């Protein structure tokens, strides 16, 4: 078919169809990038502001498409201009939605609406030892106050023994349409969020709990893999993503390179001798992935210079001896899971969402991760109630959280009786420009 006829056919296609056609072969790619076609699409979506300019461009549109040339423009110029304009328009809509910040968490209030407006979704890609990739698209999403939990389950998971890595991607439509749900067959772009090594998963990963059917293993950041007990094969995968810069991580990275968060610019305060040691706020959520067990905000946390040891600032959030500050947990503490045929809850483990704000209410340390409760050898010394004590710990390169929970047989509930936040002095020094 001559190029003139193909150009005529392509001129009836919309932008998304043109991008798909361009993937057929080099010839189609060249013709489907025709400046005449794309200029017409551009100005139909983004009309010129001035009448004179509009008339001038309309005259250019009359030029025969068979020319495949628009004056002084490189091939694909209007195609690139249209795509960048669409991306900028979506970014503007999303930024408007995330502009309002919750004073308790320091996070945007309308994350769920912003994610919907951007057309953002997530996929996992399993790579086996032969280099073959298995893409798992279908996911169930659950939104919490500080995080989003994403569940994948399938009846045809690859054998765990042959898998090498799991990659988590944010996926956004290249040309989002607010009037309809994004199509998985349309043009999309991937942003690598995290990559996990699945070699010897059961030996090298942290087991956070099990029930009669599944056993759970955790990998940082925020990944939970459920294995069938009988076959040791994958039953489901769950990822918990904290809202802090979630959209940036899910959209601004590349398919092979993760988005790097910009470093904080420290402003040294020479007047305050304890700069960087006080006025921290902690917001802590404990949930099952779908149901909330505890949601708490703790303000004005501080650390004395004498309490700095082993490279950490120690901030006491809940004091063991002050029973007026002890916090009950609501409902059954556990991690909910389900597949197409089964569902259950693994007790004594949960998702922990943490946001620590600095003295300017700026997010300082944020994470969402699965944690487990282990029976402690300690015996309760509290006069008001007695029972078994469980310990929960979380640690990464920026800090640690250590909690103790007391189980009351009388009321069948847990109480947080001790909660201590440890922040790395290296993190504090980099953030504030101090030297502790």
């Amino acid at each position: 078919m001559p190029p003139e006829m193909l150009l005529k056919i392509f001129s009836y296609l919309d932008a998304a169809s043109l991008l798909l056609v361009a993937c057929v072969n080099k010839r189609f790619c060249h013709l489907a990038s025709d400046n005449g076609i794309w200029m017409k699409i551009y100005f139909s979506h983004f009309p010129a502001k001035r009448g004179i300019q509009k008339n001038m461009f309309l005259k250019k549109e009359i030029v025969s498409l068979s020319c495949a040339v628009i004056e002084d423009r490189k091939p694909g110029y209007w195609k690139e201009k249209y795509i960048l304009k669409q991306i900028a328009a979506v970014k503007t809509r999303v930024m408007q939605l995330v502009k309002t910040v919750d004073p308790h968490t320091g996070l945007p209030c309308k994350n769920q609406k912003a994610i919907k407006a951007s057309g953002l979704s997530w996929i996992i890609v399993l790579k086996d030892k032969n280099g073959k990739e298995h893409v798992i698209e279908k996911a169930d999403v659950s939104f919490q106050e500080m995080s989003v939990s994403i569940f994948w389950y399938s009846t045809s998971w690859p054998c765990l023994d042959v898998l090498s890595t799991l990659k988590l991607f944010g996926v956004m439509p290249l040309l989002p349409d607010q009037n309809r749900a994004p199509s998985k067959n349309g043009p999309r772009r991937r942003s690598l969020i995290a990559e996990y090594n699945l070699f010897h998963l059961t030996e090298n990963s942290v087991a956070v709990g099990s029930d009669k059917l599944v056993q759970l293993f955790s990998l940082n950041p925020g990944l939970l893999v459920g294995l069938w007990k009988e076959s040791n094969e994958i039953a489901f995968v769950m990822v918990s993503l904290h809202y802090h810069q979630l959209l940036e991580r899910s959209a601004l990275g590349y398919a092979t390179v993760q988005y790097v968060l910009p470093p904080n610019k420290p402003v040294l305060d020479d007047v305050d001798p304890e700069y960087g040691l006080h006025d921290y706020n902690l917001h802590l959520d404990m949930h099952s992935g779908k149901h909330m067990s505890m949601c708490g905000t703790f303000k004005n946390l501080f650390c004395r210079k004498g309490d700095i040891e082993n490279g950490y600032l120690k901030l006491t959030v809940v004091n063991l001896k002050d029973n007026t500050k002890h916090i009950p947990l609501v409902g059954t503490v556990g991690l909910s899971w389900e597949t197409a045929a089964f569902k259950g809850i693994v007790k004594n483990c949960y998702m922990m969402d943490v946001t620590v704000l600095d003295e300017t209410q700026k997010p300082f340390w944020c994470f969402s991760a699965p944690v487990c409760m282990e029976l402690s050898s300690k015996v309760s010394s509290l006069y008001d109630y007695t029972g078994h004590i469980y310990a929960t710990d979380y640690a990464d390169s920026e800090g640690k959280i250590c909690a103790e929970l007391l189980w009351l047989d009388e009321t069948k509930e847990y109480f947080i009786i001790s909660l201590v936040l440890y922040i790395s002095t290296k993190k504090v020094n980099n953030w504030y420009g101090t030297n502790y």
Side-chain angles (χ1 to χ4, degrees), residues 354-388:
V354 165
T355 302
V356 178
L357 305 178
D358 66 11
E359 60 183 10
T360 65
Q361 301 302 297
K362 186 177 180 180
F364 173 80
W365 179 34
C366 304
F367 70 84
S368 179
V371 294
C372 62
M373 300 163 52
E374 296 183 349
L375 185 63
S376 173
S377 58
K378 290 185 179 180
V379 178
S380 173
S381 60
L382 302 173
Y383 294 107
D384 294 336
Y385 35 67
T386 58
H388 295 294

Side-chain angles (χ1 to χ4, degrees), residues 295-314:
C295 178
T297 300
F298 309 90
K299 296 182 176 293
N300 301 321
L301 303 177
F302 64 92
C303 171
R304 306 292 186 190
K305 286 187 176 181
D307 292 331
I308 301 175
E309 58 181 27
N310 300 322
Y312 288 98
L313 275 66
K314 180 181 178 181

Side-chain angles (χ1 to χ4, degrees), residues 99-117:
K99 187 179 293 184
T100 306
V101 175
D102 187 318
H104 296 293
T105 64
L107 304 172
C109 297
K110 300 180 179 179
N111 284 292
Q112 189 170 348
K113 289 184 178 180
I115 290 170
K116 184 178 180 181

Side-chain angles (χ1 to χ4, degrees), residues 4 7-8 11 34-37 40 61-69:
E4 294 81 6
L7 281 171
K8 184 64 177 178
S11 69
D34 176 74
N35 274 334
I37 297 176
K40 186 177 180 179
E61 289 177 14
I62 300 174
V63 177
S64 172
L65 293 176
S66 63
C67 296
V69 174

Side-chain angles (χ1 to χ4, degrees), residues 1-34 36-38 40-41 65:
M1 189 177 292
E4 294 81 6
M5 191 172 293
L6 284 173
L7 281 171
K8 184 64 177 178
I9 295 172
F10 290 172
S11 69
Y12 292 102
L13 300 180
D14 59 15
S17 300
L18 280 170
L19 291 173
L20 291 175
V21 164
C23 297
V24 174
N25 54 42
K26 290 183 179 180
R27 185 181 181 220
F28 275 30
C29 181
H30 173 72
L31 294 174
S33 302
D34 176 74
I37 297 176
W38 281 99
K40 186 177 180 179
I41 293 174
L65 293 176

Side-chain angles (χ1 to χ4, degrees), residues 107-383:
L107 304 172
C109 297
K110 300 180 179 179
N111 284 292
Q112 189 170 348
K113 289 184 178 180
I115 290 170
K116 184 178 180 181
S118 67
L120 175 63
S121 61
W122 297 274
I123 65 171
I124 54 176
V125 177
L126 298 166
K127 189 174 182 180
D128 62 29
K129 297 174 183 177
N130 296 322
K132 183 180 179 181
E133 292 188 341
H134 309 264
V135 180
I136 313 296
E137 297 241 3
K138 185 180 178 182
D140 292 336
V141 179
S142 176
F143 293 92
Q144 284 78 43
E145 187 176 17
M146 292 192 292
S147 69
V148 56
S149 300
I150 310 140
F151 301 82
W152 288 270
Y153 52 86
S154 170
T155 56
S156 58
W157 291 100
C159 180
L160 180 63
D161 293 337
V162 304
L163 293 178
S164 59
T165 59
L166 182 152
K167 292 182 180 180
L168 171 66
F169 291 93
V171 180
M172 292 184 68
L174 196 60
L175 304 173
D177 186 347
Q178 283 188 300
N179 299 320
R180 59 183 178 182
S183 170
K184 69 176 184 178
N185 295 321
R188 302 184 299 172
R189 49 200 174 96
R190 292 182 182 180
S191 176
L192 179 62
I193 299 174
E195 182 172 354
Y196 307 90
N197 187 349
L198 296 183
F199 276 120
H200 307 296
L201 175 68
T202 55
E203 292 86 357
N204 299 334
S205 304
V206 179
V208 295
S210 64
D211 61 11
K212 293 181 179 179
L213 294 176
V214 299
Q215 187 171 18
L216 307 184
F217 291 89
S218 173
L219 291 169
N220 282 331
L223 176 71
L224 194 69
V225 180
L227 302 182
W228 295 115
K229 273 190 170 181
E230 291 187 0
S231 62
N232 209 36
E233 295 300 317
I234 297 176
F236 63 89
V237 169
M238 173 184 171
V239 173
S240 189
L241 301 175
H242 197 280
Y243 283 142
H244 179 52
Q245 295 189 321
L246 169 64
L247 288 166
E248 290 92 332
R249 292 178 184 269
S250 301
L252 299 182
Y254 297 92
T256 56
V257 180
Q258 298 178 38
Y259 170 73
V260 179
L261 302 179
N264 182 63
K265 296 180 180 179
V267 179
L268 185 61
D269 187 345
D270 294 328
V271 178
D272 184 358
E274 296 190 344
Y275 184 55
L277 299 184
H278 53 74
D279 289 332
Y280 289 97
N281 290 345
L282 167 67
H283 195 84
L284 172 66
D285 287 352
M286 297 179 177
H287 60 88
S288 68
K290 294 184 178 180
H291 306 290
M292 190 67 65
S293 296
M294 195 279 284
C295 178
T297 300
F298 309 90
K299 296 182 176 293
N300 301 321
L301 303 177
F302 64 92
C303 171
R304 306 292 186 190
K305 286 187 176 181
D307 292 331
I308 301 175
E309 58 181 27
N310 300 322
Y312 288 98
L313 275 66
K314 180 181 178 181
L315 296 87
T316 301
V317 183
V318 176
N319 195 319
L320 175 65
K321 297 180 180 179
D322 187 358
N323 57 13
T324 62
K325 300 292 179 64
H326 296 170
I327 307 167
L329 272 58
V330 179
T332 302
V333 177
L335 275 169
S336 301
W337 64 271
E338 64 179 289
T339 65
F342 302 99
K343 63 180 179 180
I345 183 167
V346 178
K347 295 183 179 180
N348 293 341
C349 54
Y350 55 88
M351 299 304 298
M352 177 184 287
D353 297 345
V354 165
T355 302
V356 178
L357 305 178
D358 66 11
E359 60 183 10
T360 65
Q361 301 302 297
K362 186 177 180 180
F364 173 80
W365 179 34
C366 304
F367 70 84
S368 179
V371 294
C372 62
M373 300 163 52
E374 296 183 349
L375 185 63
S376 173
S377 58
K378 290 185 179 180
V379 178
S380 173
S381 60
L382 302 173
Y383 294 107

